[in-house]
Amino acid sequence: MIVLGIETTCDETAAAIVRTGPDGVGEIVCDEVMSQIALHAAFGGVVPEIAARAHVEVIDKLVRRALKKAGVKIADLDGIAAAGGPGLIGGVMVGLTMGKGLALAGSKPFVAVNHLEAHALTARLTDGIEFPYLLLLISGGHTQLIAVKGVGDYARLGTTLDDALGEAFDKVAKMLGLPYPGGPQVEIEAAKGDPARFEFPRPMLRRPNADFSLSGLKTAVRLEVERRAPLNRQDVADLCASFQASIVDVIIDRTRVGLRLFHEKCGTPTALVIAGGVAANSAIRGALNRFARETGLRAVQPPLALCTDNGAMIAWAGIERLRLGLTDDMNFAPRARWPLDAGAARGHNPKA
Ligand code: KG4
Ligand code: ZN
């Protein structure tokens, strides 16, 4: 099977070709990504209107380049997959319409992929892991603990009630005058700072549900920044280190509860899969690896380029669905919100 995947839900325009051999193992033939970070940097965050326009400008070139690099034509494909949401609606419309147009013109099966499902299934492409597993998805747009039980079969165990983790990193960076995207900058500063200097709250600690809440922590950092202004370089480093230490504690505590809920609802997971841009943070990754060792879990982290938004994950999710005969028709409408499980409506995060 060979499938084209298109991703445009946030600030990455991506097109990729993924194929499977007779054994069903996936192989990324090519994965073209164009990041818009430079366009949004001046605003300190993603501007939806700018994102949508930038997707329009490059999507056709990117798809053409992916096909050329892979040495395939539309006629050779077994299907076309495009992210149908959740995400910034203007961007979703661009990729979805492109995917539908190509499918229609080439008389190919079409799959509208849930972007979260694509993140959830990536570890099966990279590491071939079996269902069921526990996914911790931590990025600028998503913060979720998900029981991945099968294709189309998910239970959301926890989500953020306010900011996504990456968003919290980016906002704290902004308060401290660090450039966008702030997560990597905060990590660099934190390495030079004292994590014990400021005692920031650990929101939701030991709550029996696996939800996250980050606005209280963010406010605590803001108050400290205001109290100490003007900040010297050591203050910035210590604030970053203390903030990051709090985040690490929160992630481990929430993942521990997520794992308990997983055992209660779905049995024993085959692995703990860690995905999303925030998983690039070595303090967070280190703590999660220690946690996995302690609990006897296998920790799996797909390569970073496949943890952040990309086209290969959309193509792979397309393959997983096509193998089960699951396709979508031309009436599929773009979705700003699209929870992975029907029972997930209780979350308040507008991005989930
Ligand atoms: O997955 P991603 O590339 O894009 C989406 O949000 O979909 O994640 C980007 C987020 C940004 O908020 C960025 O600040 C954060 O991941 N991030 C980090 C680190 N590297 C990226 N946060 C903390 N530490 C890092 N090293
Ligand atoms: Zn994403």
Side-chain angles (χ1 to χ4, degrees):
M1 215 177 236
I2 182 157
V3 167
L4 165 70
I6 297 170
E7 158 62 36
T8 55
T9 63
C10 191
D11 61 345
E12 242 89 44
T13 319
I17 309 279
V18 175
R19 72 167 164 229
T20 49
D23 53 2
V25 173
E27 181 205 348
I28 299 169
V29 184
C30 71
D31 190 7
E32 299 295 307
V33 183
M34 279 177 83
S35 171
Q36 306 175 357
I37 281 183
L39 295 177
H40 302 290
F43 304 93
V46 178
V47 184
E49 172 78 16
I50 293 176
R53 286 169 185 267
H55 288 305
V56 171
E57 277 172 24
V58 300
I59 187 70
D60 55 333
K61 293 185 207 77
L62 214 60
V63 168
R64 203 171 281 136
R65 202 201 294 167
L67 290 168
K68 194 167 171 214
K69 275 200 179 169
V72 295
K73 298 190 175 58
I74 297 290
D76 304 324
L77 298 172
D78 292 296
I80 291 164
L88 300 173
I89 199 69
V92 175
M93 287 165 74
V94 174
L96 191 67
T97 306
M98 183 77 184
K100 281 185 187 176
L102 291 174
L104 200 59
S107 302
K108 296 293 174 185
F110 174 68
V111 185
V113 169
N114 181 315
H115 176 94
L116 297 169
E117 173 165 63
H119 277 301
L121 296 176
T122 300
R124 286 168 53 75
L125 166 65
T126 57
D127 295 80
I129 63 170
E130 301 286 335
F131 299 120
Y133 53 90
L134 175 61
L135 171 74
L136 171 66
L137 177 58
I138 44 177
S139 73
H142 331 287
T143 297
Q144 306 203 346
L145 279 155
I146 298 168
V148 183
K149 297 183 279 182
V151 176
D153 188 7
Y154 308 93
R156 196 173 74 186
L157 304 172
T159 188
T160 179
L161 304 179
D162 36 61
D163 285 350
L165 267 166
E167 211 176 349
F169 268 95
D170 293 339
K171 287 180 179 169
V172 163
K174 202 170 175 182
M175 287 174 212
L176 298 173
L178 301 169
Y180 175 83
Q185 305 295 326
V186 170
E187 181 176 7
I188 291 167
E189 292 299 323
K192 299 180 266 183
D194 173 7
R197 175 159 166 213
F198 301 102
E199 222 175 282
F200 290 134
R202 269 72 173 154
M204 311 296 277
L205 210 66
R206 285 187 281 281
R207 292 276 179 94
N209 64 46
D211 288 337
F212 293 75
S213 168
L214 299 158
S215 64
L217 170 59
K218 196 181 61 190
T219 304
V221 177
R222 173 171 291 122
L223 292 174
E224 201 60 53
V225 169
E226 285 168 4
R227 200 171 302 141
R228 308 224 160 234
L231 301 174
N232 64 36
R233 290 173 82 173
Q234 196 56 50
D235 291 334
V236 170
D238 292 345
L239 285 162
C240 286
S242 303
F243 165 74
Q244 188 174 278
S246 172
I247 290 280
V248 166
D249 287 352
V250 167
I251 290 177
I252 297 303
D253 179 71
R254 303 290 76 207
T255 305
R256 191 183 304 282
V257 174
L259 181 60
R260 188 186 311 145
L261 296 176
F262 192 107
H263 279 292
E264 281 169 23
K265 295 180 182 181
C266 326
T268 304
T270 60
L272 167 64
V273 176
I274 307 152
V278 179
N281 185 292
S282 45
I284 293 172
R285 239 188 7 237
L288 282 166
N289 279 322
R290 276 195 301 282
F291 169 76
R293 265 198 309 278
E294 279 164 23
T295 49
L297 260 180
R298 174 180 172 204
V300 173
Q301 189 183 6
L304 203 62
L306 295 174
C307 277
T308 58
D309 291 350
N310 64 88
M313 70 177 189
I314 305 296
W316 174 253
I319 287 177
E320 293 252 40
R321 296 190 81 83
L322 284 167
R323 288 203 285 223
L324 299 172
L326 302 169
T327 58
D328 295 280
D329 64 25
M330 294 296 135
N331 293 324
F332 185 95
R335 299 181 183 178
R337 304 180 60 135
W338 189 358
L340 269 183
D341 66 341
R346 74 199 158 84
H348 308 296
N349 180 10
K351 286 155 201 139

